[in-house]
Amino acid sequence: MNKFYLACDESGRLGYVDKKTNKCGEISVVAGIIMDDTSFHNFANEVDLIVAKYQSVTKSSKFHITDFEPEVAASVRNAIFNLIKDFEYPLVYGAQYYSAFARIYQEQKEAEDTVIRVQKERGRTVSYPMGHIKKLSQAECFYSSYTKAACFIADLTQEPFRFRVLTDEIDNKTLENYEKQIARLHAPNVKKPLLGKRFIHSTKNLETFSVSSSLKIDSPITDLLKNSSGTISKDQAVHSIVADVIANSVNYYLEQYAAKSNFHHLNIQEAIAEHPLALQFVSLGIESTFTDKLYYHTGT
């Protein structure tokens, strides 16, 4: 089974979606680079040479592009970009407006509050776990990014594959969220029912209930994805500066595009066209039309 790596990082507005926006047009981004197992180690060695050149400028072994003065940062960024061009590695990203995440959370919360109120009027106290709507913005963007990467590999190889996701400096809760997103793609028909409880005041009984879906999607691509696998780890198989540079640059160009386009769709080729590596981003049509229409900017 072919093995591939996806080194990714987050940028922009991150966090749980129950928070309000801080400024107009905030964007959540997860972006990364797809590397094949054959050339991966050569690429990692070349990255180490770049790191060694600039290591003396910063005391941190896991330095980020924002740790440097602008001129040095530009030099590091260009060195990483040129290396990615030389290896011709595909790039991916998932991005959405944070205001859309916050809007959908609020709409779902209000709907559930209404159900709770109506049930209370009927003599029942109903509770729902809020975790299914209180999502992590970067986890949703990771799912989009990982989906594009996995579908790209499935289309390229036409056979099952193993994906190893490399990420750095995320807390264990975020790591757990990412693991769930990977499972969400490779096992789309295995969904746990949503559990809830209701207290019947007239009988003083506490009942549990569940809501589940029987929807199943079968296609050649989903069969390939179900027979493939993905894992994620926090390690330094390739220095984190690579994914850091990609994620920060994607966020920068998407912010520029969002402002110029009056906050149009983010997951389209036009949105990333000004990026120096624009031609290396994989086709962004996968899943993005739906998500961009769902997570549209609300004007806040």
Side-chain angles (χ1 to χ4, degrees):
M1 187 180 291
N2 291 324
K3 181 178 180 180
F4 295 88
Y5 297 85
L6 174 64
C8 62
D9 201 1
E10 308 92 350
S11 187
R13 174 65 191 273
L14 309 176
Y16 286 95
V17 301
D18 59 332
K19 309 299 182 184
K20 294 182 178 180
T21 55
N22 294 323
K23 62 179 182 179
C24 183
E26 290 177 306
I27 298 172
S28 302
V29 176
V30 172
I33 179 171
I34 303 171
M35 300 161 285
D36 62 89
D37 191 44
T38 304
S39 62
F40 170 77
H41 297 290
N42 288 336
F43 177 77
N45 289 336
E46 292 295 326
V47 172
D48 287 342
L49 293 177
I50 296 174
V51 170
K53 180 179 179 180
Y54 294 97
Q55 188 69 72
S56 61
V57 183
T58 176
K59 296 180 181 179
S60 174
S61 61
K62 296 183 179 181
F63 56 76
H64 297 83
I65 196 67
T66 53
D67 292 335
F68 299 103
E69 294 297 323
E71 289 186 3
V72 179
S75 182
V76 174
R77 187 182 302 108
N78 289 335
I80 296 297
F81 282 173
N82 288 334
L83 186 61
I84 295 173
K85 285 180 181 178
D86 289 342
F87 276 78
E88 299 180 336
Y89 281 147
L91 304 175
V92 292
Y93 73 85
Q96 301 297 342
Y97 293 108
Y98 182 82
S99 63
F101 286 135
R103 182 194 78 245
I104 291 176
Y105 168 80
Q106 192 59 39
E107 290 173 348
Q108 292 179 325
K109 185 178 184 303
E110 289 174 359
E112 294 197 358
D113 287 345
T114 298
V115 171
I116 292 173
R117 177 180 55 79
V118 170
Q119 291 299 315
K120 186 175 182 179
E121 291 172 354
R122 295 176 179 174
R124 299 174 179 177
T125 299
V126 180
S127 64
Y128 292 95
M130 298 301 292
H132 72 289
I133 63 173
K134 185 182 173 182
K135 297 178 179 179
L136 188 65
S137 62
Q138 59 263 43
E140 295 303 303
C141 290
F142 171 79
Y143 176 73
S144 179
S145 183
Y146 183 80
T147 297
K148 292 170 187 175
C151 289
F152 172 79
I153 294 301
D155 185 61
L156 178 70
T157 64
Q158 293 295 308
E159 59 185 32
F161 57 89
R162 288 183 296 154
F163 232 146
R164 182 182 173 191
V165 179
L166 309 174
T167 187
D168 182 47
E169 295 186 4
I170 60 173
D171 59 66
N172 290 334
K173 188 64 176 179
T174 300
L175 184 66
E176 181 183 337
N177 264 281
Y178 283 13
E179 289 172 337
K180 289 180 180 178
Q181 302 307 321
I182 293 173
R184 173 183 169 190
L185 180 69
H186 293 297
N189 294 334
V190 182
K191 295 179 182 285
K192 293 182 180 180
L194 175 63
L195 302 177
K197 296 180 180 180
R198 57 183 169 228
F199 179 74
I200 313 300
H201 292 268
S202 59
T203 62
K204 307 299 182 183
N205 290 330
L206 180 64
E207 299 177 353
T208 60
F209 65 92
S210 65
V211 178
S212 59
S213 172
S214 60
L215 176 65
K216 292 186 177 181
I217 302 175
D218 292 307
S219 71
I221 193 73
T222 56
D223 288 341
L224 271 178
L225 294 174
K226 282 189 287 186
N227 291 322
S228 301
S229 63
T231 59
I232 184 169
S233 61
K234 296 187 288 185
D235 59 31
Q236 288 292 293
V238 63
H239 197 281
S240 57
I241 189 64
V242 175
D244 179 56
V245 163
I246 296 170
N248 276 276
S249 62
V250 167
N251 184 59
Y252 172 80
Y253 285 101
L254 289 183
E255 285 183 341
Q256 301 297 307
Y257 174 78
K260 290 187 295 185
S261 66
N262 194 26
F263 306 105
H264 191 50
H265 298 334
L266 297 173
N267 295 279
I268 56 177
Q269 292 287 358
E270 181 184 349
I272 203 67
E274 298 299 319
H275 195 288
L277 301 177
L279 296 178
Q280 288 178 238
F281 284 90
V282 302
S283 174
L284 302 181
I286 303 170
E287 196 212 29
S288 61
T289 301
F290 169 75
T291 56
D292 275 323
K293 290 181 179 178
L294 175 65
Y295 296 115
Y296 60 86
H297 180 60
T298 58
T300 57

